Structure formats: structure tokens, C-alpha cells
Amino acid sequence: MEIQFVPGNLELLKTPYYADFFYENIIIYFNEEDTTDAVFQSAVHGTFLLKLGEALINLVKTKETQMVESIGTTISYRISQSDQTIYIVKYSGEEEIEKHLCQYDLFFEGLTLATKNYLHTIKRENPRIVLIDQYQLLASCFINFDQMRLLEFH
């Protein structure tokens, strides 16, 4: 499974206003067997990615269903685990609008790789971005998550 982060206005990183980059929108796509689905989206991606990372860490630790709310929309996500399957249910208000099922290992491997690629891409566009709190928090959240997974599988 390939997961891809597509942030809005990547060109903002090349300006003096690069710190505002984390207030742009993001769409997270899952690419599987000839299909590409926009699974997660948010109007403010820095805070959303941190909430998503924390929810996934809690899911791995506790195995309890996690809720993550998109920012700037009425969309929320319920993420749960059963055996070796991750269930992502997308809601608009109270109405269920989409379901995605992913194999546990492939989902977390894909998400970890996508996050690393995303962090490297924005760092390459503007190395000063690493000085921004949002970048450091996001990097530490997913590094912590990646290490937890490695310990879990060994």
C-alpha cells in the first residue's frame, strides 16, 4: 500500500512566510491495486497530522477505537483495529460516508514511509522549516510511532 500526503500551496515554503505552511490544507491518498482514494483531508494540516499521529499511537498502545476530527469541515474519522485489519470510517456530521479497510502491517508501513517522505520533501523545499514547532512535533510523533511498531513486531 502506498500512502501519499498532498499538502496545499507547497510553494509557500519558498517564501518568507514558510511558517504559515502548516495552516494549508492536506489530502492523504491511499494507492492500492489500481485504485487511488482520498482517505483523509483537512483544511489545516499541521494540527490534523499531529492529531492523527497521536490517535494512531493510542490505537497501537490500547487497541481502542480512536476518533479524529478534520479541521475546517464537519468530517471526522473513526479508526479501529480488529485482528490484522485497520478500519477507517469517514463521517460527515453523524452520517457515515465512506469505509476503508487496510491490512494492519501494510497500513502502518505505508503511513510511516509517507510521513518520512513528506517531512523530507518539505525540509528539502526549505531547510528552515525544521525550526518550526509543528515540524518538530510531527517528526517526533511519527518517530515515536515508528519505534513503537518496531518494538511490537520483535
Side-chain angles (χ1 to χ4, degrees), residues 58-95:
N58 287 336
L59 179 69
V60 170
K61 283 182 177 178
T62 66
K63 310 284 190 257
E64 294 178 7
T65 299
Q66 302 294 311
M67 292 295 294
V68 180
E69 293 184 14
S70 179
I71 299 169
T73 68
T74 60
I75 296 174
S76 61
Y77 303 93
R78 186 182 75 213
I79 306 168
S80 59
Q81 172 189 349
S82 176
D83 297 322
Q84 290 300 309
T85 304
I86 297 293
Y87 299 91
I88 302 168
V89 182
K90 184 176 183 179
Y91 292 92
S92 179
E94 297 293 320
E95 181 184 349

Side-chain angles (χ1 to χ4, degrees), residues 11-29:
E11 292 296 314
L12 186 61
L13 281 172
K14 298 176 183 176
T15 72
Y17 305 104
Y18 66 92
D20 295 337
F21 170 71
F22 289 107
Y23 294 100
E24 296 296 319
N25 66 336
I26 192 166
I27 301 173
I28 300 176
Y29 292 98

Side-chain angles (χ1 to χ4, degrees), residues 20-149:
D20 295 337
F21 170 71
F22 289 107
Y23 294 100
E24 296 296 319
N25 66 336
I26 192 166
I27 301 173
I28 300 176
Y29 292 98
F30 288 15
N31 302 320
E32 283 188 293
E33 301 175 14
D34 304 329
T35 62
T36 300
D37 292 328
V39 178
F40 296 108
Q41 61 189 25
S42 180
V44 177
H45 79 269
T47 304
F48 176 74
L49 290 176
L50 288 172
K51 286 181 179 182
L52 180 61
E54 290 172 4
L56 292 173
I57 289 170
N58 287 336
L59 179 69
V60 170
K61 283 182 177 178
T62 66
K63 310 284 190 257
E64 294 178 7
T65 299
Q66 302 294 311
M67 292 295 294
V68 180
E69 293 184 14
S70 179
I71 299 169
T73 68
T74 60
I75 296 174
S76 61
Y77 303 93
R78 186 182 75 213
I79 306 168
S80 59
Q81 172 189 349
S82 176
D83 297 322
Q84 290 300 309
T85 304
I86 297 293
Y87 299 91
I88 302 168
V89 182
K90 184 176 183 179
Y91 292 92
S92 179
E94 297 293 320
E95 181 184 349
E96 182 180 306
I97 54 176
E98 284 181 25
K99 278 187 184 179
H100 299 276
L101 307 174
C102 309
Q103 186 179 345
Y104 184 89
D105 295 344
L106 295 178
F107 171 77
F108 286 119
E109 288 172 14
L111 187 64
T112 302
L113 183 60
T115 304
K116 288 177 183 178
N117 288 340
Y118 166 76
L119 292 171
H120 288 297
T121 298
I122 64 176
K123 182 178 162 184
R124 185 175 53 245
E125 290 294 323
N126 188 337
R128 295 175 295 172
I129 197 78
V130 301
L131 302 174
I132 303 298
D133 289 343
Q134 291 275 24
Y135 181 94
Q136 294 175 12
L137 288 170
L138 186 58
S140 66
C141 181
F142 279 92
I143 287 169
N144 179 30
F145 171 71
D146 196 23
Q147 290 172 347
M148 277 180 26
R149 279 190 44 256

